[in-house]
Amino acid sequence: MKLALKTRLVVAVALLSSCSSLLAALPIPAPPTLNVSSYFVVDANTGKVIAAMDPDKPVEPASLTKLMTAFVVFQALRAEQIQLADLVTISRKARQTEGSRMFVEQGSQVSVENLLQGMIVQSGNDASVALAEHIAGSEEVFAGLMNAYAQELGMVSSHFENATGLPGTRHIASARDLAILARAIIDEFPEYYRWYGQKSFAWGRDPATGDPIEQDNRNKLLWRDSSVDGMKTGYTQAAGYCLVSSAERNDMRLITVVTGAPNENGRFSASQSLLNYGFRFFETRTLYAGGDTVERARVWKGTVDMTSLGVADDVVVTIPRGRANDLQASVTLPSTLQAPLNVQSRVGRLSIVLDGEPVAEATLVALEDVPAGGLWKRMTDSISLWFE
């Protein structure tokens, strides 16, 4: 039999206790007007889109492609198909790949870890091809893996033909898709994400001086803004100047994607403007931590009359700054809860709204076991339920 549902507003201390010192809410102005092909700003924790311009427009991703190259390599590492210490023999194709380079030598052996740093920090096309060949046997087969993962992630406007980002007839991505990919890297591979904030990497030696050849990370925001810790630049003549950036301030992480800026400084200025806009006018709040009690509910035919209901995972929202006091929480439960209940059993829904619009939903679960009561308890509760 389908149970009737009941919904009621709950006074949630978790929504209010951390908000008493907030300033009055600021009006939200329009995002900055930027001279770029497209842009996208998203909260990395919640997926809340903060600002966008032509986010689904297919563009040439240039070296932003290497985010997907790295994602495939990280997947192979997690599956233990390869190891960071594995030595990769550099092919002629890898050595001769045009564009930005790590400067590996044909026939030499370089570890996967060094190739990853050469690709991420130095944007080495040679390193990208070497990694693709090591994992898939050829760059063409590796591109198939890239597209399979893109489809799995929901990157509906993207198609990859190579591991480097050099121009191809159908080598495209969108700002939204690149943000999806950046979020996946940050969320799934925090142990490797640190390389995106690495300011330089040295590989090989200058034949004239014998000194290590050190190249700086092309993402100049790493020097300009201490909250920025990634991710990747890109440039081709057709694509223009592009940048995926990520920054964290006060437990809020934003990802911005800028494509088609007219010059190098333009991509950094545009990204900085978008980061400043997002952090200034929005905030991320953890309303309930996983395991927090949200509601005490009546339970029938059990060993106890009341039980605690809560959320299994953190409930996090992105809202206009200063609006936390205006959030409202409500719970939807079956008209009756009957024992036995097992801990983590799904028993209802928690909804968070702002100005009548939903901002978050979560499943309510039982936070404790409630065994069935004895015969007398079950009989008396059955009689009581007739009068409910």
Side-chain angles (χ1 to χ4, degrees), residues 25-309:
L26 293 172
I28 305 298
T33 300
L34 302 172
N35 182 22
V36 297
S37 296
S38 64
Y39 69 72
F40 192 73
V41 187
V42 64
D43 187 306
N45 294 310
T46 65
K48 167 70 175 178
V49 178
I50 289 176
M53 184 185 79
D54 290 333
D56 300 310
K57 176 182 178 181
V59 298
E60 288 192 25
S63 281
L64 304 185
T65 298
K66 296 183 178 80
L67 292 173
M68 179 55 82
T69 304
F71 185 79
V72 177
V73 177
F74 297 157
Q75 292 283 356
L77 286 166
R78 183 163 64 185
E80 298 185 349
Q81 296 171 346
I82 62 172
Q83 306 292 328
L84 286 175
D86 287 352
L87 295 178
V88 178
T89 301
I90 305 303
S91 70
R92 180 180 180 182
K93 177 182 177 180
R95 174 64 183 89
Q96 294 183 346
T97 301
E98 61 185 17
S100 54
R101 296 179 182 178
M102 176 186 176
F103 296 107
V104 290
E105 295 297 331
Q106 181 179 339
S108 65
Q109 290 191 311
V110 184
S111 71
V112 168
E113 181 171 1
N114 282 328
L115 288 171
L116 275 168
Q117 290 182 78
M119 178 180 71
I120 291 170
V121 180
Q122 300 172 335
S123 199
N125 288 345
D126 48 1
S128 303
V129 173
L131 287 166
E133 292 176 336
H134 181 64
I135 289 173
S138 72
E139 189 178 10
E140 292 74 21
V141 174
F142 186 84
L145 291 175
M146 297 170 74
N147 289 319
Y149 280 117
Q151 184 175 11
E152 187 176 298
L153 289 170
M155 298 172 62
V156 297
S157 301
S158 298
H159 183 268
F160 299 100
E161 294 184 340
N162 58 62
T164 61
L166 291 171
T169 54
R170 290 187 61 242
H171 192 86
I172 54 173
S174 69
R176 188 192 305 273
D177 284 357
L178 291 165
I180 290 171
L181 177 56
R183 284 188 71 200
I185 291 173
I186 294 168
D187 182 56
E188 295 187 37
F189 301 106
E191 69 272 35
Y192 305 130
Y193 176 70
R194 58 187 172 84
W195 284 324
Y196 288 98
Q198 188 172 317
K199 291 184 176 180
S200 65
F201 179 63
W203 179 257
R205 292 190 176 276
D206 188 315
T209 65
D211 295 331
I213 301 173
E214 187 166 4
Q215 296 185 63
D216 286 342
N217 194 312
R218 288 166 167 76
N219 184 3
K220 302 310 178 186
L221 286 186
L222 295 173
W223 285 266
R224 298 183 186 181
D225 184 339
S226 61
S227 70
V228 174
D229 54 15
M231 291 187 70
K232 190 71 192 73
T233 60
Y235 169 77
T236 64
Q237 186 173 3
Y241 291 84
C242 310
L243 176 62
V244 175
S245 60
S246 178
E248 187 173 34
R249 302 178 192 172
N250 299 320
D251 297 323
M252 181 182 188
R253 177 173 290 279
L254 294 182
I255 294 169
T256 67
V257 182
V258 168
T259 72
N263 52 56
E264 185 175 19
N265 189 61
R267 66 182 170 191
F268 298 127
S269 297
S271 297
Q272 187 74 76
S273 294
L274 292 171
L275 287 172
N276 290 342
Y277 173 81
F279 284 123
R280 182 68 184 90
F281 295 106
F282 293 85
E283 61 180 322
T284 301
R285 288 273 171 175
T286 300
L287 305 182
Y288 299 96
D292 279 356
T293 297
V294 175
E295 174 87 329
R296 291 279 294 170
R298 178 72 163 94
V299 60
W300 301 87
K301 303 182 183 181
T303 55
V304 296
D305 290 334
M306 301 293 292
T307 190
S308 296
L309 309 179

